[in-house]
Amino acid sequence: MAYDHNHLAMWNQWNQEGGPNYPHQKVIQFVFRNFPPAVRSQTRVLDLGCGSGVHCVFLASEGFQVTGTDISEVGIANTSQKLSKLGLHANLKVEAADVLDFRSDSFDLVICVGVYDCAGSEVTKISVDKLSTLMAPGGRGIFLFASNNDFRFKHQVLNIHGFLEKEVKAIFANSFDKVWIDRYVTTYQGGQIEQNDWLVTVENLLP
Ligand SMILES: C[S@@+](CC[C@H](N)C(=O)[O-])C[C@H]1O[C@@H](n2cnc3c(N)ncnc32)[C@H](O)[C@@H]1O
């Protein structure tokens, strides 16, 4: 469990604000393109680093079986409240990204948005190695996290780590049967701000 008290305090503070109101558009696209309505109720999803629950709510309202984990007890409490207000359910756990205490083949879909850049390179390597055993055959995953060209890394917003391409390649090498490493770049405010994320999607083949 590689984080200290200050790290946890910072992310509890961030979650006090309640997190984003809308799911990430790349998550919506990935989920809708790969998981048609008919399969959703049998699909077990892990939202790793779920924060205050925006993706847990999206996934539960689309009928998936949802598990959400995060180190922040504030985030987990917010997620639980949002779900119950809507009459939705998820299995929620306060747990670090490098712990992931689940049985093998527990998940058919893993999503992880804006977490590995908070957790850092070492935790990410351990986490991805664990996920490779937790994701079932035929499973898929989507990961978004900042690159070294991202404004949050360049300006040290929330102490995040910006991943180099060689780091990403090394972390995901030998992890899942198929791995695609893309960038998702968006420029805001007349070019002053560049959000430059890695968008890694993965798949395990059916036997
Ligand atoms: C930027 S927020 C993103 C939350 C959520 N995924 C979303 O899209 O709204 C980052 C989240 O990562 C969590 N986090 C930071 N370090 C972590 C770690 N080592 N293990 C698990 N979660 C962590 C924080 O508590 C926070 O909720």
Side-chain angles (χ1 to χ4, degrees), residues 2-3 7 11-12 14-15 19-20 47-52 54-55 69-72 95-98 113-115 118-119 123:
Y3 64 87
H7 182 82
W11 288 108
N12 270 332
W14 185 89
N15 277 296
D47 180 5
L48 199 170
C50 64
S52 289
V54 65
H55 296 103
T69 59
D70 200 289
I71 50 162
S72 166
E95 189 177 66
D98 52 345
V113 180
V115 180
C118 311
V123 169

Side-chain angles (χ1 to χ4, degrees), residues 3 43 73 78 144 205:
Y3 64 87
T43 303
E73 65 274 11
N78 286 346
L144 279 141
L205 299 175

Side-chain angles (χ1 to χ4, degrees), residues 57 60-61 80-90:
V57 168
S61 67
S80 173
Q81 264 178 21
K82 283 182 192 173
L83 288 162
S84 25
K85 264 192 195 158
L86 295 166
L88 297 168
H89 171 75

Side-chain angles (χ1 to χ4, degrees), residues 22-177:
Y22 301 101
H24 196 294
Q25 60 178 319
K26 287 289 159 197
V27 172
I28 300 174
Q29 277 177 356
F30 186 81
V31 166
F32 284 172
R33 286 185 182 161
N34 288 304
F35 296 88
V39 306
R40 292 181 192 162
S41 65
Q42 299 97 59
T43 303
R44 302 157 300 166
V45 190
L46 172 64
D47 180 5
L48 199 170
C50 64
S52 289
V54 65
H55 296 103
C56 286
V57 168
F58 163 62
L59 293 159
S61 67
E62 290 298 328
F64 289 89
Q65 296 174 34
V66 181
T67 296
T69 59
D70 200 289
I71 50 162
S72 166
E73 65 274 11
V74 177
I76 293 293
N78 286 346
T79 304
S80 173
Q81 264 178 21
K82 283 182 192 173
L83 288 162
S84 25
K85 264 192 195 158
L86 295 166
L88 297 168
H89 171 75
N91 170 32
L92 301 175
K93 247 200 211 189
V94 175
E95 189 177 66
D98 52 345
V99 175
L100 297 177
D101 185 17
F102 297 97
R103 276 181 294 176
S104 7
D105 297 355
S106 284
F107 301 108
D108 310 296
L109 168 61
V110 174
I111 77 155
C112 183
V113 180
V115 180
Y116 284 157
D117 40 22
C118 311
S121 200
E122 240 173 75
V123 169
T124 299
K125 173 73 184 137
I126 297 168
S127 180
V128 168
D129 285 350
K130 291 205 168 170
L131 285 177
S132 66
T133 69
L134 299 184
M135 204 169 81
R140 293 175 192 274
I142 177 167
F143 304 83
L144 279 141
F145 49 93
S147 81
N148 59 316
N149 289 325
D150 189 279
F151 76 98
R152 292 161 294 179
F153 175 58
K154 287 186 170 168
H155 303 301
Q156 276 304 289
V157 178
L158 292 167
N159 206 20
I160 71 160
H161 176 66
F163 285 78
L164 295 164
E165 184 168 14
K166 66 176 182 197
E167 263 181 296
V168 180
K169 284 186 170 159
I171 286 169
F172 283 90
N174 312 314
S175 53
F176 303 91
D177 292 334

